[in-house]
Amino acid sequence: MTVAEDLINELPAVEVSVTPLDKFREYLQTRKKRLTTEKTIVLDEVFSDHEHFAAEEFVDRLSQRKDQRRVSRATIYRVLNELEDAGLLRKVARTDGRDVYEHDYGYPQHDHLICSKCKRLIEFAAEDISRIVEEVADRHGFRTTGHRLEVYGLCAECSRPPRRRNPKLDLL
Amino acid sequence: MTVAEDLINELPAVEVSVTPLDKFREYLQTRKKRLTTEKTIVLDEVFSDHEHFAAEEFVDRLSQRKDQRRVSRATIYRVLNELEDAGLLRKVARTDGRDVYEHDYGYPQHDHLICSKCKRLIEFAAEDISRIVEEVADRHGFRTTGHRLEVYGLCAECSRPPRRRNPKLDLL
DNA sequence: CTTCGTGCAAAACCTTTGCATTAAA
DNA sequence: TTTAATGCAAAGGTTTTGCACGAAG
């Protein structure tokens, strides 16, 4: 085994130094698309923090600005589509009539528990699910590119009964 | 084992004689809602055949009619929501910006393979998935009411390479 | 310079709603 | 006769698009 192979085997299955920006650049280059200021602003905003978000939240945040970092609604939607295409984002749900995105870079496959009451999204990793999905797909000659599993119900907090003060009342 | 128990074990887990109309009637009565001609027309159309459909398809089909069986767009949407509420329909996906419904009565839990090319929906039953979902939910103190699993990719037909005539060309 | 991207405003869509009218129960 | 339901048209909301202008390669 060479030193290089040895190194590769030691590393976790994540490409350490390739940032979202790097990946986006690569995507853009292969399509003769350009890396503009606006795209950079949206990218920064997307990967600065927000786990889950809807396009309109970015519109609120970015298209109101008075300074040089303003981006229009149309461009936000266009860039978001590009980022999805580039594999940096994916749609995970639809809440209140809006598509909800999440980061899809360097993330292991995972799915969501969606609380019907507080709308919270709880992530969980389930390799078992992916395995079963592949088995089923194989059986149908279906070539998968990915999946989305949404589990509906009430989160722990929202399903906890109120009135913890007087335990006896819980019997009613 | 009694004769009754024996019979139950033989029967499939479906309530045989309760029709969608019966179930809808029951739902309506408990809410002081009315069973109108329009609701009946939509119900008939929904359960006459169509496995998967979007609301707009029904609009095309029902709101164009010149006879007595015409139903307006608004009513179609309202009835569809009622049927979902009543547990007779459920949304299973979103295609081309439209919510896709399917029958949800007497059906065992199942999920879908969705072909990105031809948009076909292929159903599959996977008890394993439901089991894993419950395990995960339990671990998070999450109380589930259901789930939706969409698997994306290409169906057998759409992923079959074209040009079967000249096998040698396939090597290109 | 040439081509791609941005902003704006308007359009497209699906879905919901207010209101006057009609029809169940 | 009381109250819910329908149809219409319009509104609501998100997402997309045509076009003229501006910027990147």
Side-chain angles (χ1 to χ4, degrees):
Chain A
M1 182 178 286
T2 69
V3 176
E5 281 169 333
D6 202 309
L7 265 177
I8 286 169
N9 288 337
E10 297 286 337
L11 288 172
V14 197
E15 298 166 45
V16 176
S17 56
V18 183
T19 67
L21 180 56
D22 289 336
K23 198 175 177 189
F24 194 35
R25 271 212 188 87
E26 183 191 315
Y27 164 85
L28 294 173
Q29 281 174 357
T30 65
R31 319 235 173 169
K32 293 201 177 64
K33 288 169 164 232
R34 292 168 186 174
L35 180 57
T36 63
T37 320
E38 289 81 2
K39 290 182 187 178
T40 308
I41 295 172
V42 174
L43 186 76
D44 281 358
E45 190 70 19
V46 166
F47 284 94
S48 67
D49 171 49
H50 324 83
E51 258 307 280
H52 299 107
F53 61 88
E56 284 298 313
E57 294 171 29
F58 282 75
V59 174
D60 292 345
R61 213 172 296 133
L62 297 184
S63 74
Q64 312 298 338
R65 290 185 178 165
K66 302 297 180 203
D67 59 8
Q68 239 48 311
R69 293 180 61 78
R70 200 191 95 90
V71 184
S72 73
R73 157 181 272 106
T75 297
I76 290 174
Y77 275 92
R78 284 188 278 235
V79 176
L80 254 22
N81 281 333
E82 254 180 359
L83 290 175
E84 196 185 356
D85 241 48
L88 289 163
L89 287 182
R90 60 172 195 151
K91 292 192 180 119
V92 281
R94 208 177 152 82
T95 307
D96 300 327
R98 297 167 163 196
D99 285 328
V100 177
Y101 288 94
E102 73 169 5
H103 299 180
D104 186 21
Y105 180 71
Y107 262 62
Q109 165 75 48
H110 63 275
D111 296 294
H112 297 88
L113 305 175
I114 305 180
C115 179
S116 316
K117 197 169 174 188
C118 69
K119 307 295 179 190
R120 190 177 319 196
L121 294 184
I122 302 158
E123 295 185 355
F124 66 91
E127 317 72 31
D128 295 345
I129 301 265
S130 297
R131 215 197 49 247
I132 295 176
V133 161
E134 289 309 324
E135 284 173 18
V136 172
D138 270 7
R139 214 176 306 145
H140 286 81
F142 191 93
R143 200 170 292 177
T144 70
T145 58
H147 76 257
R148 173 156 130 196
L149 171 60
E150 302 175 9
V151 180
Y152 309 110
L154 291 178
C155 70
E157 201 163 307
C158 289
S159 67
R160 209 197 333 266
R163 275 198 278 88
R164 308 231 104 251
R165 250 336 133 63
N166 193 337
K168 283 185 178 170
L169 288 179
D170 283 13
L171 297 175
L172 292 181
Chain B
M1 183 179 286
T2 68
V3 175
E5 281 169 332
D6 203 309
L7 264 177
I8 287 169
N9 288 336
E10 298 285 338
L11 288 173
V14 196
E15 297 168 45
V16 177
S17 55
V18 182
T19 67
L21 180 57
D22 290 336
K23 198 174 176 190
F24 194 37
R25 273 215 186 85
E26 182 191 315
Y27 164 85
L28 293 173
Q29 282 175 357
T30 65
R31 320 238 171 163
K32 291 201 178 62
K33 288 168 164 237
R34 292 168 187 175
L35 180 58
T36 63
T37 321
E38 289 80 2
K39 291 182 187 178
T40 307
I41 294 171
V42 175
L43 186 76
D44 282 358
E45 191 69 19
V46 166
F47 284 94
S48 67
D49 171 49
H50 325 83
E51 259 307 281
H52 300 106
F53 61 88
E56 285 298 312
E57 295 171 28
F58 280 76
V59 174
D60 292 345
R61 213 173 295 133
L62 297 183
S63 74
Q64 311 298 339
R65 290 184 178 167
K66 301 299 178 200
D67 59 8
Q68 239 48 315
R69 293 180 62 79
R70 199 189 96 90
V71 184
S72 73
R73 155 180 274 108
T75 297
I76 290 172
Y77 275 91
R78 284 189 279 235
V79 176
L80 253 24
N81 280 333
E82 253 180 359
L83 290 174
E84 195 184 356
D85 241 48
L88 289 163
L89 287 182
R90 61 172 195 150
K91 292 191 180 119
V92 281
R94 209 177 149 81
T95 307
D96 300 328
R98 298 167 163 194
D99 285 328
V100 177
Y101 287 95
E102 73 169 6
H103 299 181
D104 186 22
Y105 181 73
Y107 262 62
Q109 165 76 45
H110 64 276
D111 296 293
H112 298 89
L113 306 175
I114 304 181
C115 179
S116 316
K117 196 167 173 191
C118 69
K119 308 296 179 189
R120 191 178 316 196
L121 294 185
I122 301 159
E123 296 184 355
F124 67 90
E127 318 73 31
D128 295 344
I129 300 266
S130 297
R131 214 196 50 246
I132 295 175
V133 161
E134 289 308 324
E135 284 172 18
V136 171
D138 269 9
R139 215 175 306 143
H140 286 82
F142 191 93
R143 200 170 291 176
T144 71
T145 59
H147 76 257
R148 171 157 130 195
L149 171 60
E150 301 175 10
V151 180
Y152 309 110
L154 291 179
C155 70
E157 201 162 309
C158 289
S159 65
R160 210 199 328 269
R163 275 199 277 89
R164 309 230 106 252
R165 248 337 132 65
N166 193 338
K168 283 183 179 169
L169 289 178
D170 281 293
L171 296 173
L172 291 181

